[in-house]
Amino acid sequence: MVSIYTDKAREKRYFVLRKKKKTYETCFGICVGIYALIMITELIGGVASRGMAIGLGVNQIARIGRYHLAANFLVLAVGLCGILFRKWIPAVIGAAGLICLAAAGWMTPFCIGLIGLIPLCVTVWAGLGWSKLQQEEGFPRFQIDLEEYESQRKAQISFMQQRALRQGVRTAAQVLDPDAEMHDLAEQAGPDALPAMLQGYHARSAGSDPVVAVPVPHYDRMQTISEEEVGGLEEL
Protein backbone atom coordinates (compact mmCIF):
# COMPACT_ATOMS: atom_id res chain seq x y z
CA MET A 1 0.00 0.00 0.00
CA VAL A 2 1.35 3.42 -1.00
CA SER A 3 1.70 5.79 1.94
CA ILE A 4 0.83 9.47 1.74
CA TYR A 5 3.52 10.28 4.31
CA THR A 6 7.25 10.65 3.82
CA ASP A 7 9.57 8.12 5.43
CA LYS A 8 10.59 10.60 8.12
CA ALA A 9 6.98 11.40 9.02
CA ARG A 10 6.10 7.70 9.00
CA GLU A 11 8.95 6.89 11.37
CA LYS A 12 7.70 9.53 13.81
CA ARG A 13 4.16 8.12 13.64
CA TYR A 14 5.46 4.58 14.04
CA PHE A 15 7.43 5.58 17.14
CA VAL A 16 4.26 6.89 18.82
CA LEU A 17 2.23 3.87 17.72
CA ARG A 18 4.88 1.46 19.01
CA LYS A 19 4.72 3.12 22.44
CA LYS A 20 0.92 2.77 22.49
CA LYS A 21 1.17 -0.84 21.39
CA LYS A 22 3.64 -1.64 24.17
CA THR A 23 1.38 0.06 26.75
CA TYR A 24 -1.65 -1.95 25.66
CA GLU A 25 0.31 -5.21 25.62
CA THR A 26 1.53 -4.53 29.18
CA CYS A 27 -2.05 -3.91 30.32
CA PHE A 28 -3.25 -7.14 28.73
CA GLY A 29 -0.43 -9.11 30.35
CA ILE A 30 -1.12 -7.76 33.84
CA CYS A 31 -4.89 -8.17 33.48
CA VAL A 32 -4.70 -11.79 32.37
CA GLY A 33 -2.57 -12.69 35.40
CA ILE A 34 -4.84 -10.97 37.92
CA TYR A 35 -8.03 -12.21 36.30
CA ALA A 36 -6.82 -15.82 36.12
CA LEU A 37 -6.03 -15.74 39.86
CA ILE A 38 -9.46 -14.30 40.66
CA MET A 39 -11.15 -16.88 38.42
CA ILE A 40 -9.39 -19.82 40.10
CA THR A 41 -10.13 -18.45 43.56
CA GLU A 42 -13.80 -17.90 42.77
CA LEU A 43 -14.36 -21.31 41.23
CA ILE A 44 -12.46 -23.35 43.83
CA GLY A 45 -13.76 -21.24 46.72
CA GLY A 46 -17.33 -21.49 45.51
CA VAL A 47 -17.19 -25.28 45.24
CA ALA A 48 -15.47 -25.79 48.58
CA SER A 49 -17.25 -23.14 50.67
CA ARG A 50 -20.56 -25.01 51.03
CA GLY A 51 -18.88 -28.29 51.95
CA MET A 52 -16.68 -26.55 54.51
CA ALA A 53 -19.68 -24.75 56.02
CA ILE A 54 -21.65 -27.99 56.34
CA GLY A 55 -18.66 -29.78 57.86
CA LEU A 56 -18.19 -27.03 60.42
CA GLY A 57 -21.91 -26.91 61.14
CA VAL A 58 -22.25 -23.21 60.38
CA ASN A 59 -24.32 -23.52 57.23
CA GLN A 60 -27.50 -22.31 58.91
CA ILE A 61 -25.66 -19.38 60.48
CA ALA A 62 -23.81 -18.31 57.40
CA ARG A 63 -26.76 -19.13 55.15
CA ILE A 64 -24.53 -20.14 52.30
CA GLY A 65 -26.65 -20.84 49.26
CA ARG A 66 -26.05 -23.33 46.49
CA TYR A 67 -23.13 -22.41 44.26
CA HIS A 68 -23.87 -22.33 40.51
CA LEU A 69 -20.59 -23.57 39.08
CA ALA A 70 -21.63 -23.72 35.41
CA ALA A 71 -22.93 -20.16 35.29
CA ASN A 72 -19.89 -18.74 37.08
CA PHE A 73 -17.47 -20.67 34.93
CA LEU A 74 -19.20 -19.56 31.72
CA VAL A 75 -19.21 -15.86 32.66
CA LEU A 76 -15.64 -15.90 33.93
CA ALA A 77 -14.49 -17.74 30.79
CA VAL A 78 -16.06 -15.11 28.54
CA GLY A 79 -14.17 -12.38 30.38
CA LEU A 80 -10.94 -14.37 30.15
CA CYS A 81 -11.38 -14.78 26.38
CA GLY A 82 -11.80 -11.02 26.06
CA ILE A 83 -8.44 -10.46 27.75
CA LEU A 84 -6.60 -13.21 25.88
CA PHE A 85 -7.90 -12.21 22.45
CA ARG A 86 -7.65 -8.47 23.24
CA LYS A 87 -11.30 -7.82 22.43
CA TRP A 88 -13.33 -5.30 24.37
CA ILE A 89 -16.79 -6.73 23.54
CA PRO A 90 -16.29 -10.08 25.41
CA ALA A 91 -14.81 -8.08 28.29
CA VAL A 92 -17.99 -5.98 28.49
CA ILE A 93 -20.14 -9.13 28.38
CA GLY A 94 -18.05 -10.73 31.12
CA ALA A 95 -18.31 -7.65 33.35
CA ALA A 96 -22.08 -7.47 32.89
CA GLY A 97 -22.33 -11.20 33.65
CA LEU A 98 -20.39 -10.81 36.91
CA ILE A 99 -22.74 -8.07 38.05
CA CYS A 100 -25.75 -10.25 37.23
CA LEU A 101 -24.28 -13.24 39.11
CA ALA A 102 -23.62 -11.11 42.18
CA ALA A 103 -27.15 -9.69 42.06
CA ALA A 104 -28.62 -13.20 41.80
CA GLY A 105 -26.50 -14.43 44.72
CA TRP A 106 -24.85 -17.19 42.68
CA MET A 107 -21.28 -16.32 43.66
CA THR A 108 -19.25 -17.03 46.78
CA PRO A 109 -20.36 -15.30 50.01
CA PHE A 110 -17.52 -12.80 49.70
CA CYS A 111 -18.18 -12.24 45.96
CA ILE A 112 -14.54 -12.67 45.07
CA GLY A 113 -15.43 -12.74 41.38
CA LEU A 114 -16.52 -9.10 41.50
CA ILE A 115 -12.87 -8.08 41.84
CA GLY A 116 -12.52 -9.25 38.26
CA LEU A 117 -14.40 -6.11 37.20
CA ILE A 118 -11.18 -4.13 37.63
CA PRO A 119 -9.07 -6.03 35.05
CA LEU A 120 -12.11 -6.29 32.77
CA CYS A 121 -12.58 -2.51 32.78
CA VAL A 122 -8.89 -2.05 31.99
CA THR A 123 -9.28 -4.59 29.19
CA VAL A 124 -12.19 -2.63 27.71
CA TRP A 125 -10.03 0.51 27.62
CA ALA A 126 -7.02 -1.29 26.17
CA GLY A 127 -9.20 -3.26 23.74
CA LEU A 128 -10.70 -0.10 22.28
CA GLY A 129 -7.22 1.32 21.79
CA TRP A 130 -5.99 -1.96 20.31
CA SER A 131 -8.84 -2.03 17.79
CA LYS A 132 -7.82 1.46 16.64
CA LEU A 133 -4.20 0.36 16.30
CA GLN A 134 -5.27 -2.49 14.04
CA GLN A 135 -6.63 0.07 11.58
CA GLU A 136 -3.35 1.98 11.42
CA GLU A 137 -0.86 1.56 8.60
CA GLY A 138 2.04 -0.76 9.46
CA PHE A 139 0.27 -2.81 12.15
CA PRO A 140 1.55 -4.79 14.03
CA ARG A 141 5.27 -4.05 13.50
CA PHE A 142 5.06 -0.31 12.82
CA GLN A 143 8.40 -0.07 11.05
CA ILE A 144 9.60 0.44 7.49
CA ASP A 145 10.93 -2.84 6.11
CA LEU A 146 13.96 -3.21 3.85
CA GLU A 147 11.74 -4.79 1.19
CA GLU A 148 9.78 -1.56 1.00
CA TYR A 149 12.94 0.47 0.52
CA GLU A 150 13.99 -1.91 -2.28
CA SER A 151 10.61 -1.65 -4.00
CA GLN A 152 10.78 2.15 -3.80
CA ARG A 153 14.25 2.11 -5.35
CA LYS A 154 13.13 -0.12 -8.22
CA ALA A 155 10.05 2.04 -8.80
CA GLN A 156 12.22 5.17 -8.94
CA ILE A 157 14.62 3.58 -11.43
CA SER A 158 11.73 2.44 -13.61
CA PHE A 159 10.24 5.94 -13.54
CA MET A 160 13.55 7.51 -14.58
CA GLN A 161 13.95 5.03 -17.44
CA GLN A 162 10.44 5.64 -18.74
CA ARG A 163 10.93 9.41 -18.56
CA ALA A 164 14.22 9.10 -20.47
CA LEU A 165 12.45 7.08 -23.17
CA ARG A 166 9.69 9.67 -23.53
CA GLN A 167 12.21 12.51 -23.82
CA GLY A 168 14.27 10.61 -26.40
CA VAL A 169 17.43 10.64 -24.32
CA ARG A 170 17.39 6.84 -24.17
CA THR A 171 16.16 4.18 -26.56
CA ALA A 172 14.52 0.89 -25.85
CA ALA A 173 16.95 -1.86 -24.89
CA GLN A 174 17.74 -4.26 -27.70
CA VAL A 175 18.41 -7.92 -27.13
CA LEU A 176 22.03 -8.72 -28.01
CA ASP A 177 22.51 -11.28 -30.76
CA PRO A 178 25.41 -13.61 -29.86
CA ASP A 179 25.59 -14.86 -33.45
CA ALA A 180 25.90 -11.43 -35.00
CA GLU A 181 29.05 -10.57 -36.95
CA MET A 182 31.55 -8.07 -35.57
CA HIS A 183 31.69 -4.71 -37.34
CA ASP A 184 34.34 -2.08 -37.33
CA LEU A 185 33.46 0.48 -34.72
CA ALA A 186 35.16 3.22 -36.71
CA GLU A 187 32.71 2.73 -39.60
CA GLN A 188 29.68 3.26 -37.41
CA ALA A 189 28.51 6.65 -36.25
CA GLY A 190 27.94 7.22 -32.53
CA PRO A 191 24.41 6.58 -31.32
CA ASP A 192 22.12 9.55 -30.78
CA ALA A 193 20.70 7.93 -27.65
CA LEU A 194 21.81 5.10 -25.39
CA PRO A 195 19.54 2.23 -24.31
CA ALA A 196 17.45 2.86 -21.23
CA MET A 197 18.79 -0.29 -19.59
CA LEU A 198 22.44 -1.05 -20.25
CA GLN A 199 23.22 -4.74 -20.39
CA GLY A 200 25.92 -7.10 -21.55
CA TYR A 201 29.03 -5.35 -22.80
CA HIS A 202 27.62 -1.90 -22.11
CA ALA A 203 27.25 -2.68 -18.39
CA ARG A 204 30.90 -3.63 -17.92
CA SER A 205 31.67 -0.33 -16.21
CA ALA A 206 28.90 -0.58 -13.62
CA GLY A 207 30.23 0.29 -10.17
CA SER A 208 33.54 1.62 -11.47
CA ASP A 209 35.15 4.86 -10.32
CA PRO A 210 34.55 7.63 -12.91
CA VAL A 211 37.55 9.64 -11.63
CA VAL A 212 40.75 8.92 -13.58
CA ALA A 213 43.65 8.58 -11.17
CA VAL A 214 46.91 10.37 -12.05
CA PRO A 215 49.61 7.76 -12.74
CA VAL A 216 52.52 7.67 -10.32
CA PRO A 217 55.81 8.34 -12.16
CA HIS A 218 58.43 5.60 -11.99
CA TYR A 219 62.14 6.22 -12.60
CA ASP A 220 64.47 3.74 -14.23
CA ARG A 221 67.47 4.89 -12.18
CA MET A 222 68.10 5.89 -8.58
CA GLN A 223 67.80 9.54 -7.69
CA THR A 224 70.77 11.41 -6.21
CA ILE A 225 70.66 11.56 -2.40
CA SER A 226 72.43 14.34 -0.57
CA GLU A 227 74.54 13.88 2.60
CA GLU A 228 72.08 16.00 4.60
CA GLU A 229 69.27 13.59 3.77
CA VAL A 230 71.27 10.53 4.80
CA GLY A 231 73.07 11.96 7.83
CA GLY A 232 75.75 10.30 9.98
CA LEU A 233 78.16 9.51 7.14
CA GLU A 234 81.04 11.15 9.06
CA GLU A 235 80.73 8.68 11.94
CA LEU A 236 81.01 5.57 9.67
Side-chain angles (χ1 to χ4, degrees), residues 218-235:
H218 297 280
Y219 299 94
D220 55 351
R221 60 181 178 178
M222 182 180 297
Q223 297 178 353
T224 304
I225 302 176
S226 62
E227 296 180 359
E228 290 78 6
E229 294 176 346
V230 176
L233 293 177
E234 297 80 7
E235 299 178 359

Side-chain angles (χ1 to χ4, degrees), residues 20-235:
K20 290 183 178 181
K21 178 174 176 287
K22 185 177 181 180
T23 301
Y24 295 146
E25 288 177 339
T26 303
C27 291
F28 288 129
I30 296 175
C31 288
V32 71
I34 297 175
Y35 191 84
L37 180 61
I38 295 172
M39 181 176 178
I40 294 174
T41 304
E42 173 66 28
L43 295 177
I44 296 178
V47 173
S49 61
R50 182 174 177 82
M52 293 175 59
I54 294 176
L56 296 175
V58 296
N59 187 34
Q60 295 298 329
I61 301 176
R63 295 182 180 180
I64 299 177
R66 185 177 298 277
Y67 185 74
H68 297 266
L69 178 62
N72 282 271
F73 177 78
L74 180 61
V75 172
L76 291 171
V78 172
L80 182 63
C81 290
I83 301 176
L84 291 177
F85 293 103
R86 303 174 181 181
K87 302 293 184 181
W88 64 273
I89 295 180
V92 172
I93 297 175
L98 290 178
I99 296 175
C100 294
L101 290 176
W106 288 1
M107 304 181 73
T108 57
F110 299 101
C111 294
I112 301 176
L114 282 180
I115 306 177
L117 291 175
I118 299 176
L120 287 179
C121 291
V122 176
T123 301
V124 172
W125 170 78
L128 289 172
W130 188 263
S131 62
K132 292 180 181 179
L133 280 182
Q134 290 178 326
Q135 306 301 323
E136 295 287 346
E137 175 194 356
F139 180 85
R141 299 181 61 185
F142 294 123
Q143 65 181 12
I144 304 177
D145 298 328
L146 295 178
E147 293 81 2
E148 186 173 349
Y149 280 120
E150 184 65 19
S151 63
Q152 291 178 359
R153 187 186 68 84
K154 292 181 179 179
Q156 184 67 18
I157 293 176
S158 177
F159 171 76
M160 294 172 62
Q161 292 173 350
Q162 295 298 325
R163 184 177 61 181
L165 288 175
R166 290 194 300 267
Q167 294 178 355
V169 182
R170 293 287 189 267
T171 59
Q174 303 293 331
V175 180
L176 298 179
D177 186 7
D179 300 328
E181 297 181 358
M182 180 177 294
H183 301 281
D184 190 356
L185 297 178
E187 298 177 357
Q188 297 179 355
D192 297 332
L194 296 176
M197 296 180 61
L198 299 179
Q199 58 181 343
Y201 180 77
H202 299 284
R204 69 192 186 282
S205 60
S208 61
D209 189 358
V211 179
V212 179
V214 178
V216 180
H218 297 280
Y219 299 94
D220 55 351
R221 60 181 178 178
M222 182 180 297
Q223 297 178 353
T224 304
I225 302 176
S226 62
E227 296 180 359
E228 290 78 6
E229 294 176 346
V230 176
L233 293 177
E234 297 80 7
E235 299 178 359

